[in-house]
Structures are given as structure tokens and as C-alpha cells.
Coordinates of all heavy atoms in Angstrom, one line a residue:
P14 N 91.2 123.3 105.0 CA 91.8 122.0 104.7 C 93.1 121.7 105.4 O 93.3 120.5 105.8 CB 92.0 122.1 103.2 CG 91.0 123.1 102.7 CD 90.9 124.1 103.9
E15 N 93.9 122.7 105.6 CA 95.2 122.4 106.4 C 94.9 122.0 107.8 O 95.6 121.2 108.3 CB 96.1 123.7 106.3 CG 96.7 123.9 104.9 CD 97.4 122.6 104.4 OE1 98.2 122.0 105.1 OE2 97.1 122.2 103.3
H16 N 94.0 122.7 108.4 CA 93.6 122.3 109.8 C 93.1 120.9 109.9 O 93.5 120.1 110.7 CB 92.6 123.3 110.4 CG 92.1 123.0 111.8 ND1 93.0 123.2 112.8 CD2 91.0 122.5 112.3 CE1 92.4 122.8 113.9 NE2 91.1 122.4 113.6
A17 N 92.3 120.5 108.9 CA 91.8 119.1 108.9 C 92.9 118.1 108.6 O 92.9 117.1 109.2 CB 90.7 119.0 107.8
R18 N 93.9 118.5 107.8 CA 95.0 117.6 107.5 C 95.8 117.4 108.7 O 96.3 116.3 109.0 CB 95.8 118.1 106.3 CG 95.2 118.0 105.0 CD 96.1 118.4 103.8 NE 95.4 118.6 102.6 CZ 94.9 117.6 101.9 NH1 95.0 116.4 102.2 NH2 94.2 117.9 100.8
R19 N 96.0 118.5 109.5 CA 96.8 118.3 110.8 C 96.0 117.4 111.8 O 96.7 116.5 112.4 CB 97.0 119.7 111.4 CG 98.1 120.5 110.8 CD 98.5 121.7 111.6 NE 97.4 122.6 111.9 CZ 97.0 123.6 111.1 NH1 97.6 123.9 110.0 NH2 96.0 124.4 111.5
I20 N 94.7 117.5 111.8 CA 93.9 116.6 112.7 C 94.1 115.2 112.2 O 94.3 114.3 113.0 CB 92.5 117.1 112.7 CG1 92.3 118.4 113.5 CG2 91.6 116.0 113.4 CD1 91.0 119.0 113.4
L21 N 94.0 115.0 110.9 CA 94.1 113.6 110.4 C 95.5 113.0 110.6 O 95.6 111.9 111.0 CB 93.8 113.6 108.9 CG 92.4 113.7 108.5 CD1 92.3 113.8 106.9 CD2 91.5 112.6 109.0
A22 N 96.5 113.9 110.5 CA 97.9 113.4 110.8 C 98.1 113.0 112.2 O 98.8 112.0 112.5 CB 98.9 114.5 110.4
E23 N 97.4 113.7 113.1 CA 97.5 113.4 114.5 C 96.7 112.2 115.0 O 97.1 111.3 115.7 CB 97.2 114.6 115.4 CG 97.4 114.4 116.8 CD 97.1 115.6 117.6 OE1 97.2 116.7 117.1 OE2 96.8 115.5 118.8
H24 N 95.4 112.1 114.4 CA 94.5 111.1 114.9 C 94.1 110.0 113.9 O 93.5 109.0 114.3 CB 93.2 111.8 115.3 CG 93.4 112.8 116.4 ND1 93.5 112.4 117.8 CD2 93.5 114.2 116.4 CE1 93.7 113.5 118.5 NE2 93.7 114.6 117.7
G25 N 94.4 110.2 112.7 CA 94.1 109.2 111.7 C 92.6 109.2 111.4 O 91.9 110.2 111.8
M26 N 92.1 108.2 110.9 CA 90.6 108.0 110.6 C 90.2 106.7 111.1 O 89.9 105.7 110.4 CB 90.4 108.2 109.1 CG 90.7 109.5 108.5 SD 90.3 109.7 106.8 CE 88.5 109.7 106.8
P27 N 90.0 106.6 112.4 CA 89.6 105.3 113.0 C 88.2 104.9 112.5 O 87.3 105.7 112.3 CB 89.6 105.6 114.5 CG 89.9 107.0 114.7 CD 90.2 107.6 113.4
T28 N 88.0 103.6 112.4 CA 86.8 103.0 111.9 C 85.9 102.7 113.1 O 86.3 102.1 114.0 CB 87.1 101.7 111.1 OG1 87.9 102.1 110.0 CG2 85.8 101.1 110.6
A29 N 84.6 103.2 113.0 CA 83.6 102.9 114.0 C 82.6 101.9 113.5 O 82.1 101.0 114.3 CB 82.9 104.2 114.4
T30 N 82.2 102.0 112.2 CA 81.3 101.0 111.6 C 81.8 100.7 110.2 O 82.7 101.3 109.7 CB 79.9 101.6 111.5 OG1 79.8 102.6 110.4 CG2 79.4 102.2 112.8
V31 N 81.1 99.8 109.5 CA 81.5 99.5 108.1 C 81.2 100.7 107.2 O 81.8 100.7 106.1 CB 80.7 98.3 107.6 CG1 81.1 97.0 108.4 CG2 79.2 98.5 107.6
R32 N 80.4 101.7 107.6 CA 80.1 102.9 106.8 C 81.0 104.0 107.1 O 80.9 105.1 106.5 CB 78.7 103.2 107.0 CG 77.7 102.1 106.4 CD 76.3 102.5 106.5 NE 76.0 103.7 105.8 CZ 75.5 103.8 104.6 NH1 75.4 102.7 103.9 NH2 75.2 104.9 104.0
T33 N 81.9 103.9 108.1 CA 82.8 105.0 108.4 C 83.7 105.4 107.3 O 84.3 104.5 106.6 CB 83.7 104.6 109.6 OG1 82.9 104.3 110.7 CG2 84.7 105.7 110.0
R34 N 83.9 106.7 107.0 CA 84.8 107.1 106.0 C 86.2 106.9 106.4 O 86.6 107.2 107.5 CB 84.6 108.6 105.7 CG 83.2 109.0 105.3 CD 82.9 108.5 103.9 NE 81.6 109.0 103.5 CZ 80.5 108.3 103.5 NH1 80.5 107.0 103.8 NH2 79.4 108.8 103.0
T35 N 87.0 106.3 105.5 CA 88.4 106.0 105.8 C 89.4 106.5 104.8 O 90.6 106.4 104.9 CB 88.6 104.5 105.9 OG1 88.2 103.8 104.7 CG2 87.8 103.9 107.1
D36 N 88.9 107.1 103.7 CA 89.7 107.7 102.6 C 89.8 109.2 102.8 O 88.9 109.9 102.6 CB 89.1 107.3 101.3 CG 89.9 107.9 100.1 OD1 90.9 108.6 100.3 OD2 89.5 107.7 98.9
P37 N 91.0 109.7 103.2 CA 91.2 111.1 103.4 C 90.8 112.0 102.2 O 90.2 113.0 102.4 CB 92.7 111.3 103.7 CG 93.1 110.0 104.2 CD 92.3 109.0 103.4
E38 N 91.1 111.6 101.0 CA 90.8 112.4 99.8 C 89.3 112.5 99.6 O 88.7 113.5 99.3 CB 91.5 111.9 98.6 CG 93.0 112.1 98.6 CD 93.4 113.6 99.0 OE1 92.8 114.5 98.5 OE2 94.2 113.7 99.9
R39 N 88.6 111.4 99.9 CA 87.1 111.4 99.8 C 86.5 112.3 100.9 O 85.5 112.9 100.7 CB 86.5 109.9 99.9 CG 85.1 109.9 99.8 CD 84.5 110.4 98.5 NE 83.1 110.5 98.5 CZ 82.3 111.6 98.3 NH1 82.9 112.6 97.8 NH2 81.0 111.6 98.4
L40 N 87.1 112.2 102.1 CA 86.7 113.1 103.1 C 86.8 114.6 102.7 O 85.8 115.3 103.0 CB 87.6 112.9 104.4 CG 87.3 113.8 105.6 CD1 85.9 113.6 106.1 CD2 88.3 113.6 106.6
F41 N 87.9 115.0 102.1 CA 88.0 116.4 101.7 C 87.0 116.7 100.6 O 86.4 117.9 100.6 CB 89.4 116.7 101.2 CG 90.4 116.7 102.4 CD1 91.3 115.7 102.6 CD2 90.3 117.8 103.3 CE1 92.1 115.8 103.7 CE2 91.2 117.8 104.4 CZ 92.1 116.8 104.6
E42 N 86.7 115.8 99.7 CA 85.6 116.0 98.8 C 84.3 116.2 99.5 O 83.5 117.1 99.1 CB 85.5 114.9 97.8 CG 86.7 114.7 96.8 CD 86.6 113.4 96.1 OE1 85.6 112.7 96.1 OE2 87.6 113.1 95.4
E43 N 84.0 115.4 100.5 CA 82.7 115.5 101.2 C 82.7 116.8 102.0 O 81.6 117.4 102.1 CB 82.6 114.3 102.1 CG 82.2 113.1 101.4 CD 81.8 111.9 102.3 OE1 81.2 112.2 103.4 OE2 82.2 110.8 102.0
L44 N 83.8 117.3 102.5 CA 83.8 118.5 103.3 C 83.4 119.7 102.4 O 82.7 120.6 102.8 CB 85.2 118.8 103.9 CG 85.5 117.9 105.1 CD1 86.9 118.1 105.6 CD2 84.5 118.1 106.3
E45 N 83.9 119.6 101.1 CA 83.5 120.7 100.1 C 82.0 120.6 99.9 O 81.3 121.6 99.8 CB 84.2 120.5 98.8 CG 85.7 120.9 98.9 CD 85.9 122.4 99.3 OE1 85.1 123.2 98.8 OE2 86.7 122.6 100.2
E46 N 81.4 119.4 99.8 CA 80.0 119.2 99.6 C 79.2 119.8 100.8 O 78.2 120.4 100.7 CB 79.6 117.8 99.4 CG 80.2 117.2 98.1 CD 80.1 115.7 98.0 OE1 79.4 115.1 98.8 OE2 80.7 115.1 97.0
V47 N 79.7 119.5 102.0 CA 79.1 120.0 103.2 C 79.1 121.5 103.2 O 78.1 122.2 103.6 CB 79.8 119.5 104.5 CG1 79.4 120.2 105.7 CG2 79.6 118.0 104.6
R48 N 80.2 122.1 102.9 CA 80.3 123.6 102.8 C 79.2 124.1 101.8 O 78.5 125.1 102.1 CB 81.6 124.1 102.4 CG 82.6 124.0 103.5 CD 84.0 124.6 103.1 NE 85.0 124.2 104.0 CZ 85.8 123.1 103.9 NH1 85.7 122.4 102.8 NH2 86.7 122.8 104.8
A49 N 79.1 123.5 100.7 CA 78.1 123.9 99.7 C 76.7 123.8 100.2 O 75.8 124.6 99.9 CB 78.3 123.2 98.4
R50 N 76.4 122.6 100.8 CA 75.0 122.3 101.3 C 74.7 123.1 102.6 O 73.5 123.3 102.8 CB 74.9 120.8 101.6 CG 74.6 120.0 100.4 CD 74.1 118.6 100.8 NE 74.8 118.0 102.0 CZ 75.7 117.1 101.9 NH1 76.1 116.6 100.7 NH2 76.3 116.6 103.0
G51 N 75.7 123.3 103.4 CA 75.4 123.9 104.7 C 75.1 122.9 105.8 O 74.9 123.3 106.9
V52 N 75.1 121.6 105.5 CA 74.8 120.6 106.5 C 75.7 119.4 106.2 O 76.1 119.1 105.1 CB 73.4 120.2 106.6 CG1 72.5 121.3 107.0 CG2 72.9 119.6 105.3
A53 N 76.0 118.7 107.3 CA 76.7 117.4 107.2 C 75.7 116.3 107.6 O 74.8 116.5 108.4 CB 77.9 117.4 108.1
V54 N 75.9 115.1 107.0 CA 75.1 113.9 107.3 C 76.0 112.8 107.8 O 77.0 112.5 107.2 CB 74.3 113.5 106.0 CG1 73.6 112.2 106.3 CG2 73.4 114.6 105.5
D55 N 75.6 112.2 108.9 CA 76.2 111.0 109.4 C 75.2 109.9 109.2 O 74.2 109.8 109.8 CB 76.6 111.1 110.9 CG 77.2 109.9 111.5 OD1 77.0 108.8 110.9 OD2 77.8 110.0 112.5
D56 N 75.5 109.0 108.2 CA 74.6 107.9 107.8 C 75.2 106.6 108.3 O 75.8 105.9 107.5 CB 74.3 107.9 106.3 CG 73.2 107.0 105.9 OD1 72.6 106.4 106.8 OD2 73.0 106.8 104.7
E57 N 75.1 106.4 109.6 CA 75.6 105.2 110.2 C 77.1 105.1 110.2 O 77.7 104.0 110.2 CB 75.0 103.9 109.6 CG 73.5 103.8 109.7 CD 73.0 102.4 109.2 OE1 72.9 102.3 108.0 OE2 72.8 101.5 110.1
E58 N 77.8 106.2 110.1 CA 79.2 106.2 110.1 C 79.9 106.1 111.5 O 80.9 105.6 111.6 CB 79.7 107.5 109.4 CG 79.3 107.6 107.9 CD 79.4 109.0 107.3 OE1 80.4 109.7 107.7 OE2 78.5 109.4 106.6
H59 N 79.1 106.7 112.5 CA 79.6 106.6 113.8 C 79.0 105.5 114.6 O 79.7 104.9 115.5 CB 79.3 108.0 114.5 CG 79.8 108.0 115.9 ND1 81.2 108.1 116.2 CD2 79.2 108.0 117.1 CE1 81.3 108.1 117.5 NE2 80.1 108.1 118.1
A60 N 77.7 105.2 114.4 CA 77.1 104.1 115.1 C 76.1 103.5 114.2 O 75.3 104.2 113.5 CB 76.3 104.7 116.3
E61 N 76.1 102.1 114.2 CA 75.1 101.4 113.3 C 73.7 101.7 113.7 O 73.4 101.8 114.9 CB 75.4 99.9 113.4 CG 76.7 99.5 112.7 CD 76.9 98.0 112.7 OE1 75.9 97.2 112.7 OE2 78.1 97.6 112.8
G62 N 72.9 102.0 112.7 CA 71.5 102.3 112.9 C 71.2 103.7 113.3 O 70.0 104.0 113.6
L63 N 72.1 104.6 113.3 CA 71.9 106.0 113.7 C 72.2 106.9 112.6 O 73.3 106.8 111.9 CB 72.8 106.3 114.9 CG 72.7 107.7 115.5 CD1 71.3 107.9 116.1 CD2 73.7 108.0 116.5
R64 N 71.4 107.9 112.3 CA 71.6 108.9 111.3 C 71.5 110.3 112.0 O 70.8 110.5 113.0 CB 70.5 108.8 110.3 CG 70.6 107.7 109.3 CD 69.5 107.6 108.3 NE 70.0 107.1 107.0 CZ 69.3 106.9 106.0 NH1 68.0 107.2 106.0 NH2 69.8 106.4 104.9
C65 N 72.3 111.2 111.5 CA 72.3 112.6 112.0 C 72.5 113.6 110.9 O 73.3 113.3 109.9 CB 73.5 112.6 113.0 SG 73.8 114.3 113.7
V66 N 71.9 114.7 111.1 CA 72.1 115.9 110.2 C 72.5 117.0 111.1 O 71.9 117.3 112.1 CB 70.8 116.2 109.4 CG1 71.0 117.5 108.5 CG2 70.3 115.1 108.6
A67 N 73.6 117.7 110.7 CA 74.0 118.8 111.5 C 74.5 120.0 110.7 O 75.0 119.8 109.6 CB 75.2 118.4 112.5
G68 N 74.4 121.2 111.2 CA 74.9 122.4 110.5 C 75.5 123.3 111.5 O 75.1 123.4 112.7
A69 N 76.4 124.2 111.1 CA 77.1 125.1 112.0 C 76.4 126.5 111.9 O 76.1 127.0 110.8 CB 78.6 125.3 111.6
V70 N 76.3 127.1 113.1 CA 75.9 128.5 113.2 C 77.2 129.3 113.1 O 78.1 129.0 113.8 CB 75.1 128.8 114.5 CG1 74.8 130.3 114.6 CG2 73.9 128.0 114.6
L71 N 77.2 130.3 112.2 CA 78.4 131.1 112.0 C 78.3 132.5 112.6 O 77.3 133.1 112.6 CB 78.7 131.2 110.5 CG 78.7 129.8 109.7 CD1 78.8 130.1 108.2 CD2 79.7 128.9 110.3
N72 N 79.5 133.0 113.0 CA 79.5 134.4 113.5 C 79.8 135.4 112.4 O 79.8 135.0 111.2 CB 80.6 134.5 114.6 CG 82.0 134.4 114.2 OD1 82.3 134.4 113.0 ND2 82.9 134.2 115.1
E73 N 80.1 136.6 112.7 CA 80.3 137.7 111.7 C 81.5 137.5 110.8 O 81.6 138.1 109.8 CB 80.3 139.1 112.4 CG 81.5 139.3 113.3 CD 81.4 138.7 114.7 OE1 80.3 138.1 115.0 OE2 82.3 138.7 115.5
T74 N 82.5 136.6 111.3 CA 83.6 136.4 110.4 C 83.5 135.1 109.6 O 84.4 134.7 108.9 CB 84.9 136.3 111.3 OG1 84.8 135.2 112.1 CG2 85.1 137.6 112.1
G75 N 82.3 134.4 109.8 CA 82.1 133.1 109.1 C 82.6 131.9 109.9 O 82.6 130.8 109.3
A76 N 83.1 132.1 111.1 CA 83.6 131.0 111.9 C 82.4 130.3 112.7 O 81.5 131.0 113.1 CB 84.6 131.5 112.9
P77 N 82.5 129.0 112.8 CA 81.4 128.3 113.5 C 81.5 128.6 115.0 O 82.5 128.7 115.6 CB 81.7 126.9 113.3 CG 83.2 126.8 112.9 CD 83.5 128.1 112.3
V78 N 80.3 128.9 115.6 CA 80.2 129.2 117.1 C 79.2 128.3 117.8 O 79.2 128.3 119.0 CB 79.9 130.7 117.3 CG1 81.0 131.6 116.9 CG2 78.6 131.1 116.6
A79 N 78.4 127.6 117.0 CA 77.4 126.7 117.6 C 77.0 125.7 116.5 O 77.4 125.9 115.3 CB 76.2 127.4 118.1
A80 N 76.2 124.7 116.9 CA 75.7 123.7 115.9 C 74.3 123.4 116.2 O 73.9 123.4 117.4 CB 76.6 122.5 115.9
I81 N 73.6 123.0 115.2 CA 72.2 122.5 115.4 C 72.2 121.1 114.7 O 72.7 121.0 113.6 CB 71.2 123.4 114.7 CG1 71.2 124.8 115.4 CG2 69.8 122.8 114.7 CD1 70.3 125.8 114.7
S82 N 71.7 120.1 115.4 CA 71.7 118.8 114.8 C 70.4 118.0 115.2 O 69.8 118.3 116.2 CB 72.9 118.0 115.3 OG 72.8 117.7 116.6
V83 N 70.1 117.1 114.4 CA 69.0 116.2 114.6 C 69.5 114.8 114.4 O 70.1 114.5 113.4 CB 67.8 116.5 113.6 CG1 66.7 115.5 113.8 CG2 67.3 117.9 113.7
S84 N 69.3 113.9 115.4 CA 69.7 112.5 115.3 C 68.6 111.6 115.6 O 67.7 111.9 116.3 CB 70.8 112.2 116.3 OG 71.9 113.0 116.1
G85 N 68.7 110.4 115.0 CA 67.6 109.4 115.3 C 68.0 108.1 114.7 O 68.9 108.0 113.9
P86 N 67.2 107.1 115.1 CA 67.4 105.7 114.5 C 67.0 105.7 113.0 O 66.1 106.4 112.6 CB 66.5 104.8 115.3 CG 65.5 105.7 115.9 CD 66.1 107.1 116.0
K87 N 67.8 104.9 112.3 CA 67.5 104.8 110.8 C 66.1 104.3 110.6 O 65.5 104.6 109.6 CB 68.5 103.8 110.2 CG 68.4 103.8 108.7 CD 69.5 103.0 108.1 CE 69.4 103.0 106.6 NZ 70.5 102.3 105.9
S88 N 65.6 103.5 111.5 CA 64.2 103.0 111.4 C 63.2 104.1 111.4 O 62.1 103.9 110.8 CB 63.9 102.0 112.5 OG 64.0 102.6 113.8
R89 N 63.5 105.3 111.9 CA 62.6 106.4 111.9 C 63.0 107.5 111.0 O 62.2 108.4 110.7 CB 62.5 107.0 113.4 CG 61.8 106.0 114.3 CD 61.6 106.5 115.7 NE 60.6 107.6 115.5 CZ 60.5 108.6 116.4 NH1 61.3 108.6 117.4 NH2 59.6 109.5 116.2
I90 N 64.3 107.4 110.5 CA 64.7 108.4 109.6 C 65.1 107.7 108.3 O 66.3 107.4 108.1 CB 65.9 109.2 110.1 CG1 65.5 109.9 111.4 CG2 66.4 110.3 109.1 CD1 66.7 110.7 112.1
G91 N 64.1 107.5 107.5 CA 64.4 106.8 106.2 C 65.0 107.8 105.2 O 65.2 109.0 105.6
D92 N 65.2 107.4 104.0 CA 65.9 108.3 103.0 C 65.1 109.6 102.7 O 65.7 110.7 102.7 CB 66.1 107.5 101.7 CG 67.1 106.4 101.8 OD1 67.9 106.4 102.8 OD2 67.2 105.5 101.0
E93 N 63.8 109.5 102.6 CA 63.0 110.7 102.3 C 63.0 111.6 103.5 O 63.2 112.8 103.3 CB 61.5 110.3 102.0 CG 60.6 111.4 101.6 CD 59.2 111.0 101.3 OE1 59.1 109.9 100.6 OE2 58.3 111.8 101.6
R94 N 62.9 111.1 104.7 CA 62.9 111.9 105.9 C 64.3 112.5 106.1 O 64.5 113.7 106.5 CB 62.6 111.1 107.1 CG 62.5 111.9 108.4 CD 61.3 112.8 108.4 NE 61.3 113.6 109.7 CZ 61.1 114.9 109.7 NH1 60.9 115.6 108.7 NH2 61.1 115.4 110.9
L95 N 65.4 111.8 105.7 CA 66.7 112.3 105.8 C 66.9 113.5 104.9 O 67.5 114.6 105.3 CB 67.8 111.2 105.5 CG 69.2 111.6 105.6 CD1 69.6 111.9 107.1 CD2 70.1 110.5 105.1
A96 N 66.4 113.5 103.7 CA 66.4 114.6 102.8 C 65.7 115.8 103.3 O 66.1 116.9 103.2 CB 65.9 114.2 101.4
Q97 N 64.5 115.5 103.9 CA 63.7 116.6 104.5 C 64.5 117.3 105.7 O 64.5 118.5 105.8 CB 62.4 116.1 105.1 CG 61.4 115.6 104.0 CD 60.2 114.9 104.6 OE1 60.2 114.5 105.7 NE2 59.2 114.8 103.8
L98 N 65.1 116.5 106.5 CA 65.9 117.0 107.6 C 67.1 117.8 107.2 O 67.4 118.8 107.8 CB 66.3 115.9 108.5 CG 65.2 115.2 109.4 CD1 65.7 114.0 110.1 CD2 64.6 116.2 110.3
Q99 N 67.7 117.4 106.1 CA 68.8 118.2 105.5 C 68.3 119.6 105.1 O 68.9 120.6 105.5 CB 69.4 117.5 104.3 CG 70.2 116.3 104.7 CD 70.8 115.6 103.4 OE1 71.6 116.2 102.8 NE2 70.3 114.4 103.1
D100 N 67.2 119.7 104.5 CA 66.6 120.9 104.1 C 66.2 121.8 105.3 O 66.5 123.0 105.3 CB 65.4 120.8 103.2 CG 65.7 120.2 101.8 OD1 66.9 120.2 101.4 OD2 64.8 119.6 101.2
T101 N 65.6 121.2 106.3 CA 65.2 121.9 107.5 C 66.3 122.4 108.3 O 66.4 123.6 108.7 CB 64.3 121.0 108.3 OG1 63.1 120.6 107.6 CG2 63.8 121.7 109.6
V102 N 67.3 121.5 108.5 CA 68.5 122.0 109.3 C 69.2 123.1 108.6 O 69.6 124.1 109.2 CB 69.4 120.8 109.7 CG1 70.7 121.2 110.3 CG2 68.7 119.8 110.6
A103 N 69.4 122.9 107.3 CA 70.1 124.0 106.5 C 69.4 125.3 106.6 O 70.0 126.4 106.8 CB 70.2 123.6 105.0
R104 N 68.0 125.3 106.5 CA 67.2 126.5 106.6 C 67.3 127.1 108.0 O 67.6 128.3 108.1 CB 65.8 126.2 106.3 CG 64.9 127.4 106.3 CD 63.4 127.1 105.9 NE 62.9 125.8 106.4 CZ 62.5 125.7 107.7 NH1 62.5 126.7 108.5 NH2 62.0 124.5 108.0
V105 N 67.2 126.3 109.0 CA 67.3 126.8 110.4 C 68.7 127.4 110.7 O 68.8 128.4 111.3 CB 66.8 125.7 111.4 CG1 67.1 126.1 112.8 CG2 65.4 125.4 111.2
V106 N 69.7 126.7 110.3 CA 71.1 127.1 110.6 C 71.3 128.5 109.9 O 71.9 129.4 110.5 CB 72.1 126.1 110.1 CG1 73.5 126.7 110.0 CG2 72.1 124.9 111.1
A107 N 70.8 128.6 108.7 CA 71.0 129.9 107.9 C 70.2 131.0 108.7 O 70.7 132.1 108.8 CB 70.5 129.7 106.5
E108 N 69.0 130.7 109.1 CA 68.2 131.7 109.8 C 68.8 132.1 111.1 O 68.9 133.3 111.4 CB 66.8 131.1 110.1 CG 65.9 132.1 110.7 CD 64.5 131.5 110.9 OE1 64.0 130.8 109.9 OE2 63.9 131.7 111.9
V109 N 69.3 131.1 111.9 CA 70.0 131.5 113.2 C 71.2 132.2 113.0 O 71.5 133.2 113.7 CB 70.2 130.2 114.0 CG1 71.0 130.5 115.3 CG2 68.9 129.5 114.4
T110 N 72.0 131.9 111.9 CA 73.2 132.6 111.6 C 72.9 134.1 111.3 O 73.6 135.0 111.8 CB 73.9 131.9 110.4 OG1 74.4 130.6 110.8 CG2 75.1 132.8 109.9
R111 N 71.9 134.3 110.5 CA 71.5 135.7 110.2 C 71.0 136.4 111.4 O 71.4 137.6 111.6 CB 70.3 135.7 109.1 CG 70.8 135.5 107.7 CD 69.6 135.8 106.7 NE 68.4 135.0 107.0 CZ 68.3 133.8 106.5 NH1 69.2 133.2 105.8 NH2 67.1 133.1 106.8
E112 N 70.2 135.8 112.2 CA 69.7 136.4 113.5 C 70.9 136.7 114.4 O 70.8 137.7 115.2 CB 68.7 135.5 114.2 CG 67.4 135.4 113.4 CD 66.6 136.7 113.5 OE1 66.6 137.4 114.5 OE2 65.9 137.0 112.4
F113 N 71.9 135.9 114.4 CA 73.1 136.1 115.3 C 74.0 137.1 114.7 O 74.9 137.6 115.4 CB 73.8 134.7 115.4 CG 74.9 134.7 116.3 CD1 74.7 134.8 117.7 CD2 76.2 134.5 115.8 CE1 75.8 134.7 118.6 CE2 77.3 134.5 116.7 CZ 77.1 134.6 118.1
G114 N 73.8 137.6 113.5 CA 74.6 138.5 112.9 C 75.8 137.9 112.1 O 76.8 138.6 111.8
G115 N 75.7 136.6 111.9 CA 76.8 135.9 111.2 C 76.6 135.9 109.7 O 75.7 136.4 109.2
R116 N 77.6 135.3 109.1 CA 77.6 135.2 107.6 C 78.4 134.0 107.2 O 79.3 133.6 107.9 CB 78.1 136.5 107.0 CG 79.6 136.7 107.3 CD 80.2 137.9 106.5 NE 81.5 138.1 106.8 CZ 82.6 137.5 106.3 NH1 82.4 136.5 105.4 NH2 83.8 137.7 106.6
A117 N 78.0 133.5 106.0 CA 78.8 132.4 105.4 C 80.1 133.0 104.9 O 80.2 134.1 104.5 CB 78.0 131.8 104.3
P118 N 81.2 132.2 105.0 CA 82.5 132.6 104.6 C 82.6 132.9 103.1 O 81.8 132.4 102.3 CB 83.5 131.5 105.0 CG 82.6 130.3 105.4 CD 81.2 130.8 105.5

């Protein structure tokens, strides 16, 4: 959280779309949810009409060393598909992390 606060202090939270997160406290709540789920979702926050699911591959100390993501147009990634992709990316990230010798913090 402290690292994220330093980044926010330096760069702020610029708005890209009407769905961009702009409340720092809500961002920190979402970061906790991301840690618990193992994946993050960008639902038109960076670009209108684009959805993305991503997760970090972790090393033996629990630090991120790579990422796996899936992106596509909202017209092809509806709500049901988005939920499926979250499950798939979380499973694949966990598997790659294990194969890499990594572990969750």
C-alpha cells in the first residue's frame, strides 16, 4: 500500500474514460480484492469498449515477475465470459506460479 500511495502522490489518478477509478480509497479496497481473487479486471477503465483480465506470476518470495492477461472488445467479452476469463486466468497464473517455483505472499 505504501508503494501505491507514493505512485498516486507522484502521478495522481488521471481519467481515461467515464469508468476510470478516481477515488484513492476505493482503489485500495479494489487492490485488496485483486489480491484475494488473484486477478485484476479492467472493465472499460482504460479504453471505452475494452475489457481485460490479468494476473501476476509470482516468484519464490511472492514478488511479481510476469503477468498473464486476456483483453478484448466488450462486444465479445460479455459479463458471463468475463467471469469465465477471471476463473481461467486465476487458475493459469496459479499454475504457472507453482511451476516457476513461486508462491503467494
